[in-house]
Amino acid sequence: MKAEKIDQSGGEVRIVRTTSTFDCGGRCPLRLHVKDNKIIRVEGDDFSEPGQLRTCLRCRAYRQMVHHPERLMYPQKRTGARGEGKFEQISWDEAYDTLAGELIRVKETYGNQGIFLATGGGYLASLHNPGFAASRLLAQFGGFVTHYGNISSEGAVWASLVQYGSVMVGHSREDMLNSKLIILWGWDPARMISGTNTMYHLIKAKENGARIVSIDPRYHDTAATVADEWIPIFPGTDTAMMAAMANVMIREKLYDRVFLDKYTVGFDKFSEYITGREDGVEKTPAWAAGISGVDASTIERLAREYATTRPAALMDCQGPARSAMGEQYNRCTATLCAMTGNVGRRGGSAGGGLMGIPVGHMFRMSAIPPGKNPFELDGPKIKGTLDIGLRVVKRVHINKIFDAILKGKEGGYPSDIKMAWSMCNNYLNQTGNSNKAARALKKLEFFAVNELFMTPQAKYADLVLPVTSAAERSDLTRPWPSGPYYTFVNRAIEPLGECKSDFDIVTELAERLGIKDFNPYSEDEWLRMFVEKNPETGPQITDYEKFKREGIHRVKLPEPIVAFREQIEDIENNPFPTPSGRIEIFSQRVADLNNPICPPIPKYMSTPEDRKDPLFEQYPLQLLTPHPKNRVHSELYKVEWLREVEPHRVWINPVDAEPRGIRDGDEVYVFNARGKVAITAWVTERIIPGVISIFEGAWYDPDENGIDRGACANTLTKDAYSGGGAAVMNTSLVQVERGD
Ligand SMILES: Nc1nc2c(c(=O)[nH]1)N[C@H]1C(S)=C(S)[C@@H](COP(=O)(O)OP(=O)(O)OC[C@H]3O[C@@H](n4cnc5c(=O)[nH]c(N)nc54)[C@H](O)[C@@H]3O)O[C@H]1N2
Ligand SMILES: Nc1nc2c(c(=O)[nH]1)N[C@H]1C(S)=C(S)[C@@H](COP(=O)(O)OP(=O)(O)OC[C@H]3O[C@@H](n4cnc5c(=O)[nH]c(N)nc54)[C@H](O)[C@@H]3O)O[C@H]1N2
Ligand SMILES: [Mo]
């Protein structure tokens, strides 16, 4: 693929309007000041009308990442042991020959099912997203094994699909200004963003008089900034509290019977569970208090307030859903939203945890003519969670990749994996049980990684291919849940060192594997086609050059987007896309699964590694692993500016710290049967006693005794998934002790 060279002569400062492509819940418009092929300054959005999109701390440090001295600059092959990090420089020719040679060797020796492709969310733009290009390459090469299930939000996706038949469960953020009560239930947008303009609108909603309540084991930054009340709760027990709120509403006849009759099915069955007719246990506030740690009186008060304040937005998210029965939390919120008649209404909410709106999901690959589309795979389509058809593909759950490598067919997995090729992810660090992942990577015959940095996972590779950053190529991207705008990634600098884009790497491999006509257009031709031929953007973005120059196209909404408004306004003509055409509080599809941990109505159930597990005696603290403010997962880890923002520490309440002799700033060990990390303690009342918190994404760094000195949260988590497919990242019991 050809890309025109940028003129870097003259030593002039150029200003390039662009954006980053991180997997975070925002998308900041950026103005990069470039001189001599170097980004020397980053400025944010200068939109002068209301609706400016303020740049976050991570994007402000963008150039520190792009020009970081540890960026990988040339292809390397491993010379030491796997994981040791010893490599030597090789030529691109040798790199390509090695990778093509291994693909052919494994295919000929074991068949295509020996090849595993691991893609990820590290780069959220369209053209250079290597997942699509590499999937197509390997499909044309005869097939491959890959993962299914979204590591982020499978619980919320599952819940939304069960309950509503749709994942578009969000309102555009300005609709919060119509709310009188906003409940942040496991949602902390000051840190995880949920759309670049979310905090702005939340603050405006507060100024507008909305009462804001936060229900979270942590007193997080959003609560500290806007909440009127913090209700601390034990992890994994939200559904018990919600069931008790439903109980109060039923007992006191505070729920919206008309709404339930008209728009939902199965409330009677839910009601039987709540009142105890189903199992003999009434889900009273006192019952929920014993499980959740929240006072019965608080539960009653909130139930009444939520049921009688119209409209009210119950905002759930994905963190609590990344747990042993996570999908129940999102199903329960959606049920409460229906019981209070807030679905499809301005200032209300639908729950479901995803918050997406149907604007900005642009540049779908179908826009390109058949036969010319490098992202279109030939052969019959196999249904999967990814919206692409894959040929000869076998799949393992994303949180079981390393278990599948270790156990293969004998462990019940679809094949024996012999080689893996990874791009846009750091799954050793980011999926459950990193120590197990490290063992699995040692077992592979061959492992190749496309990367920008020598990540913990890349250290296990035989071959590391250096890729360009988003500043070194052009592309199209989007803010993932909220919009409403489209962004253009403008190439600001020429590729650094010997870096290449993943698409160029895959294209070169296609040639070597005898696959013709893989990438027939230039970068700009591709992008123009994506914009112009896309049914969503084509009619809207009529001036491609202007879009490119300005780096952004803002969509003017005549009124806020409200999920399911069409259904609520006219259910007869606009049924919900569920089998019954209604919101399914009871789901026959789920009942038919006949899975004891997947009830057809939302329920609270005890799980392994909760406070009732006998293991609790040995490991009496619940571990939370939220997303870090100063990174995007494990990305930006090396950026010193961002490290200064928030040192990596474990949050621990004085009630738990004192009996262990732990003072603020002490070095401590956090451990369970899966691993042990060394980390500094932050003794704080901002977390409920009995629970500790370590932000995910710090780099795994085991010493000779196997103690993870980097304190990667996943050294302690489990490689398991829930009945609905949620990765179990927030259900781990641990113990903490003072360091030596
Ligand atoms: N304990 C715990 N673990 C979690 C979570 C949690 O809440 N708790 N959250 C989970 C969630 S929601 C997610 S989405 C996952 C994220 O899991 P990952 O996607 O594995 O996380 P990242 O750290 O973003 O890793 C992305 C990698 O891609 C690289 N990269 C960036 N751009 C490119 C590119 O253009 N090409 C190539 N080849 N590489 C590129 C980056 O350098 C980085 O190393 O983590 C999950 N892990
Ligand atoms: N800065 C930054 N922003 C990001 C990301 C990032 O890495 N860095 N990652 C992006 C990605 S890929 C994703 S998927 C999203 C993730 O966004 P979320 O899924 O919302 O994020 P988390 O940080 O896992 O959890 C949100 C909150 O849930 C709380 N919580 C955890 N367990 C429970 C529970 O059982 N009950 C209750 N009530 N609360 C609980 C946590 O304390 C936390 O405050 O963030 C996106 N935004
Ligand atoms: Mo995610």
Side-chain angles (χ1 to χ4, degrees), residues 297-312:
S297 59
T298 305
I299 299 175
E300 272 174 26
R301 176 172 51 80
L302 190 69
R304 289 186 198 122
E305 184 183 0
Y306 178 48
T308 56
T309 311
R310 302 272 176 102

Side-chain angles (χ1 to χ4, degrees), residues 21-23 65 119-124 128-130 150-153 318-319 322 422-432 449-453 455-457 465 467-470 473 480 501-502 505 623-627 632-636 694-697 699 712-715 717 727-730:
T21 54
F22 295 124
D23 180 19
M65 185 214 89
T119 60
Y123 177 80
L124 283 198
H128 290 286
N129 190 320
N150 184 328
I151 186 87
S152 295
S153 53
Q318 300 144 30
R322 229 171 274 116
S422 165
M423 48 201 71
C424 273
N425 71 76
N426 186 13
Y427 287 151
L428 161 76
N429 212 81
Q430 293 304 116
T431 62
V449 172
N450 296 11
E451 252 302 346
L452 286 91
F453 285 90
T455 60
Q457 175 167 269
L465 304 177
V467 300
T468 46
S469 72
R473 56 211 197 186
W480 58 246
S501 83
D502 300 271
I505 294 170
L623 171 70
L624 285 186
T625 63
H627 292 214
V632 181
H633 314 295
S634 72
E635 277 184 274
L636 299 163
I694 299 178
F695 287 118
E696 57 109 326
W699 285 18
C712 169
N714 286 320
T715 298
T717 63
V728 177
M729 302 303 199
N730 283 325

Side-chain angles (χ1 to χ4, degrees), residues 72 99 103 115-122 130-131 134 138 145-147 401-402 405 419-429 441 444 446-453 455-467 502 505-506 509:
L72 299 172
L99 184 48
L103 285 166
I115 303 169
F116 192 88
L117 176 68
T119 60
L138 294 182
V145 182
T146 190
H147 40 86
I401 294 173
F402 298 103
I405 293 173
M419 74 167 279
W421 185 15
S422 165
M423 48 201 71
C424 273
N425 71 76
N426 186 13
Y427 287 151
L428 161 76
N429 212 81
L441 289 175
L444 287 173
F446 183 75
F447 184 36
V449 172
N450 296 11
E451 252 302 346
L452 286 91
F453 285 90
T455 60
Q457 175 167 269
K459 281 188 179 174
Y460 287 76
D462 299 285
L463 182 68
V464 179
L465 304 177
V467 300
D502 300 271
I505 294 170
V506 173
L509 272 168

